Amino acid sequence: MSLLCSLYTNPSRQIDVLREFIRQSDERQVIVNWIKNAVSNIAKRIQSLTGSSHVNVMGVGSGSGEVDGVILNELLTTYTTIYNRVIEPCHVQTDVYKTLVNNCHDFCKVHFDFRQQTSDQYLQSRHHDDRRRFDVIHMIQVLYYVTDIEDTILQFYHRHLNAGGVIIIIHISGQQTAWLRFNKEYKDKLPVFMHDNSTSYDIEGALDKHQLPYSKSVLPSHLIINECFQEKSRVGSLIWDYLTEADQTEQFASEEIGRASCRERV
């Protein structure tokens, strides 16, 4: 059992880590580019089915809203109004999201409904009189943190998705990567919060099992880790916390994991 604390117990540090990751990685831009094209096609397809100028959207684990903003802006090129329900447990992230909303004039066409809950909490607490269903549900890098991936997907699919609607899931590939090898090797010494190092293969397995139709894309991305090898580097410390999803990994790694050993594995 690890003595390291999960990064998610320290929201302000979590924000700093995510911001540094965005600066050092092209993942966010890769995702944004893919989303722009995918959501544009999804919006046109759904509108051809419904003929409506309104769309219902749900973001699960929306964080600080930057990717949600891309999705909403793309949908606004097709729809005149949007209802957007945001499921996000971290109040610090939600505050950043609300600031983003207040600073964007186009979002006056969007009704925001913020729910400060985890995905599990939301599914357990949904009121029986809430019959709203959604045309687009997106789960971007969030299914690591649910209790049961298969059950979560099924509940959102059967209880929340409109006929003809789409669930967008972005998750780490099942293909072997340096991050996946590192995390598997040290999982017993890292904070326990992830779903057993789940990958896209787990999601595909659940969808295949229940014969749910899907298409998939591979989005290669890169992370610059040079600063991880520099002693007392603040950037390196933040990237270490991203890789391990632990709080202040660099400070405690020599005791828990072995800092030199970690660097060799990365």
Side-chain angles (χ1 to χ4, degrees), residues 188-222:
D188 293 335
K189 296 180 180 180
L190 295 174
V192 180
F193 58 88
M194 295 188 74
H195 188 273
D196 194 27
N197 297 302
S198 64
T199 71
S200 60
Y201 291 167
D202 299 287
I203 295 170
E204 290 175 40
L207 297 174
D208 290 337
K209 177 181 175 181
H210 296 277
Q211 299 182 324
L212 300 180
Y214 65 92
S215 61
K216 63 180 180 180
S217 303
V218 177
L219 309 177
S221 62
H222 304 86

Side-chain angles (χ1 to χ4, degrees), residues 104-161:
C104 182
H105 174 72
D106 286 343
F107 287 165
C108 66
K109 303 171 187 176
V110 182
H111 173 75
F112 289 90
D113 178 5
F114 290 93
R115 309 289 179 96
Q116 192 175 320
Q117 296 173 299
T118 66
S119 171
D120 291 343
Q121 289 168 343
Y122 175 78
L123 291 173
Q124 292 167 8
S125 66
R126 188 189 185 208
H127 298 297
H128 294 295
D129 60 350
D130 183 359
R131 300 181 182 276
R132 188 185 298 271
R133 285 181 174 260
F134 296 84
D135 304 293
V136 178
I137 299 174
H138 53 89
M139 307 174 183
I140 298 174
Q141 305 287 36
V142 70
L143 287 178
Y144 315 103
Y145 315 111
V146 302
T147 303
D148 186 316
I149 286 180
E150 181 177 330
D151 181 65
T152 297
I153 293 173
L154 290 178
Q155 286 206 57
F156 278 109
Y157 184 87
H158 291 298
R159 294 174 52 196
H160 298 268
L161 191 66

Side-chain angles (χ1 to χ4, degrees), residues 231 240 250-251 253-255 257-264:
E231 293 287 346
W240 270 121
E250 182 78 347
Q251 182 177 345
S254 58
E255 300 173 14
I257 305 173
R259 182 164 49 195
S261 177
C262 277
R263 287 180 171 140
E264 288 171 4

Side-chain angles (χ1 to χ4, degrees), residues 2-255:
S2 174
L3 297 179
L4 290 169
C5 293
S6 167
L7 177 61
Y8 303 99
T9 63
N10 187 345
S12 61
R13 175 76 172 180
Q14 179 189 354
I15 293 286
D16 289 342
V17 168
L18 291 175
R19 285 175 176 167
E20 191 58 50
F21 169 74
I22 290 169
R23 282 192 284 268
Q24 301 298 326
S25 171
D26 63 355
E27 179 183 282
R28 177 62 61 85
Q29 192 58 52
V30 168
I31 289 175
V32 165
N33 292 342
W34 180 86
I35 282 176
K36 286 181 177 179
N37 181 61
V39 172
S40 176
N41 293 331
I42 288 168
K44 292 171 184 175
R45 184 177 68 79
I46 292 175
Q47 192 184 52
S48 71
L49 293 173
T50 65
S52 175
S53 61
H54 176 84
V55 65
N56 290 335
V57 181
M58 178 190 288
V60 182
S62 290
S64 52
E66 286 88 353
V67 176
D68 284 33
V70 175
I71 293 172
L72 295 172
N73 277 318
E74 200 61 46
L75 289 171
L76 283 169
T77 64
T78 302
Y79 296 96
T80 56
T81 59
I82 299 174
Y83 171 90
N84 184 51
R85 182 170 294 176
V86 179
I87 313 301
E88 171 55 50
C90 178
H91 70 89
V92 176
Q93 295 270 45
T94 301
D95 288 344
V96 176
Y97 194 136
K98 290 178 179 178
T99 300
L100 182 151
V101 170
N102 292 334
N103 290 334
C104 182
H105 174 72
D106 286 343
F107 287 165
C108 66
K109 303 171 187 176
V110 182
H111 173 75
F112 289 90
D113 178 5
F114 290 93
R115 309 289 179 96
Q116 192 175 320
Q117 296 173 299
T118 66
S119 171
D120 291 343
Q121 289 168 343
Y122 175 78
L123 291 173
Q124 292 167 8
S125 66
R126 188 189 185 208
H127 298 297
H128 294 295
D129 60 350
D130 183 359
R131 300 181 182 276
R132 188 185 298 271
R133 285 181 174 260
F134 296 84
D135 304 293
V136 178
I137 299 174
H138 53 89
M139 307 174 183
I140 298 174
Q141 305 287 36
V142 70
L143 287 178
Y144 315 103
Y145 315 111
V146 302
T147 303
D148 186 316
I149 286 180
E150 181 177 330
D151 181 65
T152 297
I153 293 173
L154 290 178
Q155 286 206 57
F156 278 109
Y157 184 87
H158 291 298
R159 294 174 52 196
H160 298 268
L161 191 66
N162 260 331
V166 173
I167 297 179
I168 300 172
I169 298 174
I170 295 182
H171 204 81
I172 190 170
S173 170
Q175 299 173 6
Q176 283 296 317
T177 63
W179 182 88
L180 199 59
R181 290 193 299 270
F182 172 84
N183 207 273
K184 284 183 176 179
E185 180 161 354
Y186 289 104
K187 66 179 181 179
D188 293 335
K189 296 180 180 180
L190 295 174
V192 180
F193 58 88
M194 295 188 74
H195 188 273
D196 194 27
N197 297 302
S198 64
T199 71
S200 60
Y201 291 167
D202 299 287
I203 295 170
E204 290 175 40
L207 297 174
D208 290 337
K209 177 181 175 181
H210 296 277
Q211 299 182 324
L212 300 180
Y214 65 92
S215 61
K216 63 180 180 180
S217 303
V218 177
L219 309 177
S221 62
H222 304 86
L223 172 65
I224 298 171
I225 61 171
N226 295 3
E227 289 291 328
C228 291
F229 302 93
Q230 303 299 321
E231 293 287 346
K232 298 181 179 180
S233 165
R234 181 177 182 276
V235 171
S237 175
L238 293 169
I239 295 302
W240 270 121
D241 284 5
Y242 177 82
L243 291 170
T244 62
E245 296 190 316
D247 185 20
Q248 306 287 347
T249 309
E250 182 78 347
Q251 182 177 345
F252 301 107
S254 58
E255 300 173 14

